[in-house]
Amino acid sequence: MTTSPSLINIPDLAVDIILKNVDFKTIFSLRKVCRPLRNYIDKRKPKVHINHIEFSMTPDLNITVKLKCNPKNEEEIREIVYSENPFVSFRRDFRIIMSHWKNQFLDVFKVDLECENPDNSVINQLFIDCIQSTFLKCPNNQRLYVMTLSLQVTNEHEIMRLLSFVDPNSLRILSLFTIGLLDLTEIRETDQFKSASLYISAQFEELESMAAFFNRSIVSVGLVHRIYWDQVLAILVSFRDHDDMQAFTISFLHFPDLQLFLDEFGEAIRDGDTSKWNASFVNKEIFIEVKLSMGFVPSLSFVRLLDLEEGEFLIFGDNDEEDEGEFDEEDEDEL
Amino acid sequence: MSVENAPVVDVDEAAIPVEKKMYYRFESNDKKEFRVSELAIQQSETLNRLVEAMGYTSEDVENKPAIAIENIDGKTLKLVFQWCEHHKGEAIPVDDGSVPKIVEIPEFDAKLMDIDNGLLFKLIWAADYLNIVQLLNVSCKKVANMAQGKTPAQLRRVYLLPSDEEDEAAKRAAQEAQDPRAREVEEEFEERKRQGGNSFF
């Protein structure tokens, strides 16, 4: 012990224990204290436990990175805001974060880019390039294991690029937000789209290929310009055919078959703008609550009821031979 | 220094040989002597191996010179042995390197480590040198707690660390101090300044 010990000349093991006991933001700060610490941290790459990564960019191009990195404190989110040379600083830090981050399973990965101004799409591309190039440098070139992926971006191309970083098997919730019309043609073919619960906030002229939305726990889709009766029926039948389906909500502007819907569903339990029915299928222990809300943005929601509640049920036929659910004979006669 | 003249610091006074226990004698680099129980020594893998290898009898312990620990001063060693006595008999944690252990600092340890940073880092150094796993854990935890959430500038203040610029300046100064030519130039410069200064009066 020739010189008096300090943080930069205590044994490596001690520094490692200290680095294990601080959160990532502190590791970041320690890196910036002086060159010996920076060199040490970059060499040792202390493992950081991040279970939540959130990027956002404001219209004036401030970049914020939120990291939930303390597994002991669920509420604690560390936030780094970049306002000076945001892009360069973010790029540098993000690369460091990823080089230290060996625990590749995330609860949440959220990218919230400025999507109101189409002029920003170039910046968005740069931002996504940066994320992509960093992921490509991850050990073993692995894809991101994430349970909840939330993307607020400009268009389907950006969604496709970001989806490609994610391992489809780990994904449980996919949340997509765009301002304008969204073309799902390519997205719905991806494995990432196929099994996760969906929360899609975007505009669609019509929902094509309804089947692409089924066989998952929760689906929320808005805003669809037009919805049709046969689509409503398809949603109902999907609850019969897919045990996993728990809830399906769809917001719409026009429902040309509304009268047909109301005629078929008959008298409702009303609560303000909302009408409610209970539906079931012949010979099936399946009970679905159907709600039609005619508020500012009309919506239809379907929720699987776990217990049989008292009240009247609208019984749908259970024709296994037919593709789509049909009504029982009595209903058909009425039609 | 003879054994009789050495200042003896009994770390665990209450437990002094009421029963027949072996107390080893250690000496710091500033010639402070400590008596430490056999059980307390087991907290330090290094010392435990050392005493096992020496195979001292009770008489040897009293008659032979105290075991010298040349790298650690008395102030630090006192803290180390106080810690070992308090935690004697406790299981030594094994780090399998999997998940970071959640280290809580017990009240006794917190009081013990209510010391200035210089001494705290000496304690860490000693805990590592003597291989006292849990003391190393808690002392490092204390440093980590102090660092948590601080900016680089605050960290420099807390740990008295130079920034890169200061470090560079210090290095340059050190190099210049070692370079005889630089020293000559410096002296000449001072001399001229003095002469120039004098000419004003």
Side-chain angles (χ1 to χ4, degrees):
Chain A
M1 204 161 39
T2 49
T3 52
S4 128
S6 77
L7 193 57
I8 50 175
N9 59 12
I10 52 173
D12 288 358
L13 176 61
V15 183
D16 290 345
I17 297 172
I18 292 167
L19 293 175
K20 264 187 197 175
N21 278 287
V22 292
D23 64 16
F24 192 75
K25 203 176 175 184
T26 309
I27 293 181
F28 246 55
S29 290
L30 285 166
R31 246 192 112 257
K32 291 174 185 164
V33 165
C34 59
R35 193 167 291 123
L37 265 181
R38 179 163 56 254
N39 291 344
Y40 185 81
I41 289 170
D42 288 350
K43 192 178 91 189
R44 301 290 283 196
K45 292 189 175 34
K47 200 174 192 173
V48 290
H49 293 262
I50 302 173
N51 54 8
H52 181 122
I53 300 180
E54 198 174 317
F55 303 111
S56 58
M57 187 160 65
T58 58
D60 50 351
L61 302 181
N62 275 349
I63 295 175
T64 304
V65 181
K66 288 183 184 172
L67 303 165
K68 196 199 265 187
C69 47
N70 187 348
K72 284 173 274 176
N73 187 350
E74 286 300 313
E75 297 303 314
E76 192 172 4
I77 291 187
R78 294 284 173 190
E79 191 175 297
I80 306 168
V81 182
Y82 300 98
S83 47
E84 238 173 80
N85 299 324
F87 199 75
V88 175
S89 315
F90 161 73
R91 239 173 111 89
R92 183 199 59 218
D93 283 359
F94 184 58
R95 289 198 170 150
I96 298 162
I97 290 171
M98 296 316 291
S99 71
H100 285 258
W101 178 51
K102 294 163 192 165
N103 167 20
Q104 299 220 315
F105 198 94
L106 281 179
D107 290 340
V108 178
F109 184 66
K110 186 174 176 184
V111 179
D112 185 356
L113 300 184
E114 164 53 21
C115 57
E116 283 183 36
N117 183 358
D119 294 344
N120 277 343
S121 68
V122 176
I123 300 289
N124 285 3
Q125 287 305 319
L126 277 171
F127 195 93
I128 296 170
D129 282 347
C130 168
I131 297 175
Q132 185 173 27
S133 64
T134 312
F135 278 136
L136 289 177
K137 284 183 183 158
C138 273
N140 308 326
N141 202 2
Q142 277 179 340
R143 284 202 279 190
L144 195 65
Y145 292 100
V146 55
M147 279 175 77
T148 300
L149 178 69
S150 173
L151 306 176
Q152 176 165 335
V153 290
T154 316
N155 55 43
E156 50 277 356
H157 305 299
E158 291 173 7
I159 292 174
M160 282 299 286
R161 287 194 64 195
L162 287 161
L163 276 183
S164 70
F165 309 148
V166 174
D167 182 88
N169 299 319
S170 63
L171 201 59
R172 295 289 171 270
I173 297 172
L174 176 61
S175 173
L176 306 174
F177 181 95
T178 62
I179 295 286
L181 281 168
L182 180 64
D183 181 359
L184 282 175
T185 317
E186 268 190 283
I187 296 171
R188 69 174 175 237
E189 295 304 320
T190 61
D191 289 337
Q192 288 85 347
F193 183 87
K194 282 179 182 165
S195 58
S197 284
L198 294 173
Y199 296 87
I200 304 178
S201 181
Q203 290 192 47
F204 303 94
E205 287 286 350
E206 289 177 13
L207 275 193
E208 296 158 1
S209 177
M210 288 298 288
F213 293 92
F214 302 151
N215 196 20
R216 60 189 89 222
S217 178
I218 296 169
V219 178
S220 167
V221 185
L223 179 74
V224 180
H225 290 193
R226 274 176 303 280
I227 183 173
Y228 299 98
W229 169 238
D230 59 345
Q231 292 180 318
V232 173
L233 266 183
I235 295 168
L236 261 177
V237 172
S238 72
F239 276 84
R240 184 196 67 192
D241 295 345
H242 304 287
D243 291 343
D244 288 342
M245 287 199 62
Q246 300 304 321
F248 197 115
T249 305
I250 187 163
S251 302
F252 56 87
L253 287 180
H254 305 289
F255 188 2
D257 305 330
L258 179 61
Q259 196 51 51
L260 178 57
F261 172 91
L262 293 174
D263 289 347
E264 286 305 329
F265 273 72
E267 200 178 326
I269 303 163
R270 292 183 66 88
D271 179 12
D273 286 338
T274 306
S275 306
K276 195 176 93 174
W277 298 266
N278 289 329
S280 187
F281 293 89
V282 169
N283 299 329
K284 294 274 183 189
E285 291 276 303
I286 296 169
F287 309 101
I288 301 148
E289 183 187 81
V290 182
K291 268 188 194 168
L292 172 68
S293 167
M294 297 302 283
F296 179 64
V297 180
S299 69
L300 257 172
S301 76
F302 306 77
V303 177
R304 186 187 295 273
L305 300 174
L306 295 177
D307 299 313
L308 177 60
E309 290 182 2
E310 287 199 8
E312 286 189 24
F313 275 80
L314 180 72
I315 310 294
F316 287 86
D318 182 23
N319 294 353
D320 288 336
E321 308 87 45
E322 305 283 341
D323 281 349
E324 297 272 297
E326 302 246 339
F327 312 110
D328 55 30
E329 283 178 13
E330 198 184 330
D331 284 337
E332 270 185 321
D333 286 346
E334 282 176 10
L335 274 170
Chain B
M1 189 182 283
S2 71
V3 176
E4 291 77 38
N5 297 335
V8 174
V9 183
D10 284 323
V11 179
D12 186 17
E13 285 170 13
I16 281 179
V18 177
E19 52 196 277
K20 188 92 177 158
K21 270 197 293 187
M22 189 107 107
Y23 276 73
Y24 287 90
R25 289 165 39 242
F26 294 96
E27 192 179 79
S28 64
N29 63 1
D30 50 0
K31 304 293 175 203
K32 295 243 168 57
E33 194 178 298
F34 300 89
R35 289 169 160 270
V36 190
S37 70
E38 205 175 357
L39 197 56
I41 288 167
Q42 286 173 9
Q43 288 294 325
S44 160
E45 199 188 321
T46 310
L47 293 183
N48 198 35
R49 283 194 181 173
L50 185 71
V51 296
E52 271 179 13
M54 286 174 140
Y56 275 8
T57 61
S58 311
E59 290 77 42
D60 289 341
V61 167
E62 291 306 323
N63 299 332
K64 291 193 176 180
I67 302 164
I69 302 177
E70 288 172 358
N71 290 329
I72 304 172
D73 63 35
K75 216 171 168 187
T76 313
L77 209 52
K78 183 175 179 181
L79 292 174
V80 169
F81 288 141
Q82 278 179 336
W83 188 92
C84 289
E85 288 292 357
H86 186 84
H87 292 279
K88 66 186 169 196
E90 289 178 13
I92 294 163
V94 181
D95 186 9
D96 55 8
S98 54
V99 285
K101 301 273 181 298
I102 298 170
V103 178
E104 298 295 340
I105 302 178
E107 204 182 329
F108 174 87
D109 298 16
K111 269 188 191 164
L112 187 87
M113 294 189 296
D114 190 11
I115 47 181
D116 65 64
N117 285 349
L119 190 52
L120 180 61
F121 283 115
K122 281 183 180 178
L123 185 65
I124 288 175
W125 197 95
D128 178 76
Y129 179 74
L130 299 174
N131 208 347
I132 307 172
V133 178
Q134 190 57 9
L135 177 59
L136 186 63
N137 281 341
V138 290
S139 51
C140 289
K141 173 74 179 174
K142 161 124 186 180
V143 175
N145 288 351
M146 284 157 63
Q148 194 76 288
K150 293 208 166 51
T151 63
Q154 288 168 328
L155 287 167
R156 277 184 213 114
R157 268 201 303 281
V158 171
Y159 297 126
L160 299 172
L161 291 172
S163 65
D164 287 341
E165 294 75 34
E166 290 161 352
D167 205 24
E168 290 295 321
K171 260 189 201 161
R172 266 201 311 277
Q175 273 170 3
E176 281 162 11
Q178 282 176 354
D179 179 0
R181 176 70 194 138
R183 212 164 42 237
E184 271 172 36
V185 173
E186 191 77 19
E187 279 164 9
E188 202 176 314
F189 178 75
E190 287 296 322
E191 182 60 29
R192 285 187 183 199
K193 211 163 67 174
R194 221 172 13 250
Q195 284 172 1
N198 285 340
S199 68
F200 282 103
F201 296 98

